[in-house]
Amino acid sequence: MVFRKPPDGGWGWVIVLVSFFTQFLCYGSPLAVGVLYLEWLDAFGEGKGKTAWVGSLANGIGLLASPVCSICVSSFGARPVAIFSGFMVAGGLMMSSFAPNIYFLYVSYGIVVGLGCGLLYTATVTITCQYFDKRRGLALGLISTGSSVGLFIYAALQRELIELYGLDGCLLIVGALSLNILACGSLMRPLESSGSPPSEKTCVDKVPDQYFVYHEKGKTVEENISILEKGYVDEKCVNNVPDCKQDSILNKNVLSSINVNEKDTYKKKVVEQTNFCKQLAKRKWQLYLTYWKETVVLFKNKVFSALFVAILLFDIGGFPPSLLMEDVARSANINEDDYYMPLISIIGIMTTVGKLILGILADFKWVNTLYLYVTTLLMTGVALFAIPFAKSYLTLAMLSGILGFLTGNWSIFPYVTTKTVGIEKLTHAYGILMFFAGLGNSLGPPIVGWFYDWTQEYDTAFYFSGFCVLLGGFLLLLAALPCWNACTNQGSKLPPNTYSYKVASS
């Protein structure tokens, strides 16, 4: 398949539009799952930690399965994967409306919807990168806001639907809305050269099956030769009956003379195929060894190792507010009449603002993206420590806005990864980091919920979350300090193909 040069426009803007709506439709409900979380607590009567697994799986399973998602998009293309994933998301949401217990939701909402979202994210990013080169950053920035806008709108929409139609009706309607992903996916036209006529069948394809000596691999050479002899004799007998016996005798003499040659040829082909399989297995094994060697080299980079710890701890501590903030307000006995806007909606809209502003700041030459990222981590930790002291809707709304803005640091995380390992190893390093980010997303809310089940209050849980984020931020800051890099460079030389982050601004 031959791809054309990215047009950086044209139909590419249609791709951006449908990718935006795809992320809006698929991530709207999972990111705003905090509204459903309250209903599931009341409906099933399970603990907060056990119930929080539903939302954490829906948001983390896509990142955990990112290698599988990439293979699917590479093998089948963005359009088929998007259409298939649309059925997964819609079907998972609709099945969740019939959930008899919390364990059913783990599969229907957590795994099915979460995996569908992961496939759709990979498909939208891949098709957008194919259509854009010079404006790729702008295009990816536009489609990434779809999930944040979905969080803002779905938080209020799901609450209104629950009041009107109940929890089951809400999930059915949201699942029906997700079927619009099929229309968006059908517009993801692959960027490939058209007009190439399909190749005609070769002469070998037109030969009858009885003339293939090696047609049936399971048979021996003698059996294949007998099949050839039988097919030749049958055809001659049909065409010319008087000469049938004479041709049969002649054919046996000819075949007996080439019997030895056919055996040698067959054995030679078997040996060649065996050698080919051995070489292929050896090559695959070498690729696996190379992959693990490159992974070890990446972790020898102290900044990358600190970044891996920081992203894991950040998602363990920083993701739970987007899922549990509504329950925090209810636990603080805040009157529902004081609600002007769902707290999750505030987080969603401020995440969009944070992605845009932090992304713009990262483009300035005088801004060090690593220090900027560390600053967002430290500020997130302080905001998490302040949640137990918030006893009114206004203070919780302010903290939700701050946390949402700081969560927008996802837009500068690729910048930080590139500066840490280099553009050559970005794909490898980013895949590892996203796996651990998904692990943090999956573990964070259940851990906070378990703390509540043990202590019957959220204070200890958010102290723990703030400590995790602050620890990750301080470790990353220490690894990036100029004095640390100077000591490291004097003590020993860096291994080949490793990159040291230069903290001096451009």
Side-chain angles (χ1 to χ4, degrees):
M1 184 178 294
V2 181
F3 290 93
R4 297 196 302 267
K5 183 179 179 181
D8 280 306
W11 190 259
W13 295 118
V14 178
I15 298 295
V16 170
L17 182 64
V18 298
S19 298
F20 172 88
F21 279 107
T22 297
Q23 294 201 14
F24 170 84
L25 292 168
C26 73
Y27 277 105
S29 181
L31 290 178
V33 73
V35 177
L36 305 175
Y37 172 75
L38 298 177
E39 303 298 324
W40 288 329
L41 283 174
D42 298 335
F44 301 114
E46 300 287 353
K48 295 182 185 294
K50 185 182 290 187
T51 308
W53 271 111
V54 181
S56 62
L57 284 174
N59 287 277
I61 199 71
L63 294 175
L64 289 172
S66 55
V68 178
C69 298
S70 300
I71 293 173
C72 291
V73 175
S74 300
S75 302
F76 304 105
R79 177 192 279 174
V81 170
I83 294 175
F84 176 77
S85 303
F87 281 113
M88 286 186 65
V89 174
L93 290 169
M94 292 180 180
M95 285 193 300
S96 300
S97 64
F98 303 100
N101 51 54
I102 198 70
Y103 303 103
F104 188 91
L105 286 174
Y106 289 164
V107 178
S108 63
Y109 198 97
I111 296 178
V112 177
V113 175
L115 186 58
C117 290
L119 288 169
L120 286 169
Y121 177 80
T122 306
T124 54
V125 170
T126 302
I127 193 69
T128 303
C129 291
Q130 290 177 2
Y131 271 85
F132 287 90
D133 184 16
K134 297 179 180 179
R135 300 178 179 178
R136 184 174 296 170
L138 174 62
L140 291 175
L142 290 175
I143 69 171
S144 66
T145 58
S147 57
S148 302
V149 175
L151 169 58
F152 171 70
I153 293 179
Y154 268 74
L157 175 64
Q158 290 186 147
R159 172 175 289 182
E160 189 67 25
L161 290 175
I162 289 173
E163 292 180 358
L164 294 176
Y165 305 105
L167 176 61
D168 297 343
C170 171
L171 290 171
L172 284 173
I173 294 174
V174 171
L177 288 175
S178 300
L179 289 173
N180 289 287
I181 296 174
L182 306 180
C184 295
S186 64
L187 295 174
M188 294 181 183
R189 187 172 63 196
L191 185 65
E192 57 180 301
S193 58
S194 57
S196 56
S199 59
E200 295 183 358
K201 288 187 175 181
T202 60
C203 295
V204 179
D205 297 331
K206 299 178 181 179
V207 177
D209 291 342
Q210 64 263 28
Y211 292 106
F212 283 111
V213 176
Y214 301 104
H215 180 64
E216 298 188 34
K217 297 181 180 179
K219 296 183 179 298
T220 62
V221 178
E222 290 80 0
E223 290 175 335
N224 283 320
I225 293 175
S226 65
I227 293 173
L228 177 62
E229 176 187 349
K230 183 176 183 299
Y232 180 82
V233 171
D234 290 344
E235 184 177 356
K236 291 297 293 182
C237 289
V238 171
N239 295 334
N240 195 353
V241 176
D243 297 334
C244 179
K245 293 183 178 180
Q246 182 179 357
D247 290 341
S248 176
I249 296 173
L250 179 62
N251 184 47
K252 287 182 179 180
N253 294 332
V254 174
L255 289 176
S256 61
S257 64
I258 66 172
N259 194 356
V260 178
N261 293 332
E262 287 294 339
K263 287 183 179 179
D264 295 339
T265 304
Y266 184 79
K267 291 180 180 179
K268 189 179 295 185
K269 287 187 176 181
V270 171
V271 172
E272 291 176 354
Q273 291 177 357
T274 304
N275 292 333
F276 173 76
C277 293
K278 289 181 179 179
Q279 293 295 329
L280 182 61
K282 184 177 179 181
R283 183 179 178 184
K284 291 291 184 182
W285 179 249
Q286 291 296 331
L287 290 176
Y288 289 135
L289 290 178
T290 303
Y291 177 84
W292 288 113
K293 288 179 181 179
E294 291 178 354
T295 303
V296 172
V297 170
L298 283 175
F299 279 99
K300 288 182 179 179
N301 186 337
K302 291 182 174 60
V303 179
F304 178 81
S305 298
L307 190 63
F308 138 73
V309 176
I311 190 64
L312 177 63
L313 294 177
F314 172 74
D315 281 283
I316 289 177
F319 177 67
S322 63
L323 176 62
L324 304 173
M325 191 60 78
E326 296 294 330
D327 192 49
V328 171
R330 187 169 71 170
S331 300
N333 297 321
I334 296 177
N335 191 358
E336 293 185 0
D337 296 335
D338 297 335
Y339 271 65
Y340 301 102
M341 183 185 296
L343 296 175
I344 299 179
S345 295
I346 297 175
I347 293 176
I349 195 63
M350 290 305 297
T351 301
T352 305
V353 176
K355 285 180 179 179
L356 295 175
I357 293 180
L358 293 175
I360 293 172
L361 287 175
D363 287 334
F364 287 109
K365 294 183 178 180
W366 51 270
V367 174
N368 188 300
T369 52
L370 180 60
Y371 285 160
L372 179 61
Y373 185 74
V374 170
T375 302
T376 60
L377 295 183
L378 298 178
M379 293 178 65
T380 301
V382 174
L384 290 170
F385 271 115
I387 289 179
F389 301 97
K391 302 299 181 182
S392 66
Y393 173 80
L394 181 60
T395 53
L396 283 176
M398 293 175 60
L399 289 174
S400 298
I402 294 172
L403 289 171
F405 179 86
L406 297 173
T407 306
N409 61 6
W410 276 99
S411 64
I412 64 174
F413 189 73
Y415 286 81
V416 177
T417 308
T418 304
K419 290 290 185 180
T420 303
V421 302
I423 190 65
E424 296 85 358
K425 299 186 178 182
L426 175 62
T427 303
H428 186 184
Y430 200 72
I432 296 174
L433 294 174
M434 286 300 100
F435 175 83
F436 287 102
L439 185 63
N441 275 348
S442 301
L443 295 178
I447 291 175
V448 173
W450 289 331
F451 268 108
Y452 185 92
D453 293 335
W454 293 336
T455 62
Q456 296 302 310
E457 42 87 17
Y458 275 116
D459 296 355
T460 307
F462 282 105
Y463 290 147
F464 170 79
S465 298
F467 173 77
C468 288
V469 178
L470 284 176
L471 178 62
F474 278 120
L475 288 176
L476 185 57
L477 179 62
L478 289 175
L481 286 177
C483 59
W484 178 264
N485 288 333
C487 295
T488 303
N489 293 333
Q490 290 177 3
S492 61
K493 293 184 179 181
L494 289 173
N497 298 328
T498 57
Y499 297 82
S500 177
Y501 192 95
K502 296 181 180 180
V503 295
S505 59
S506 302

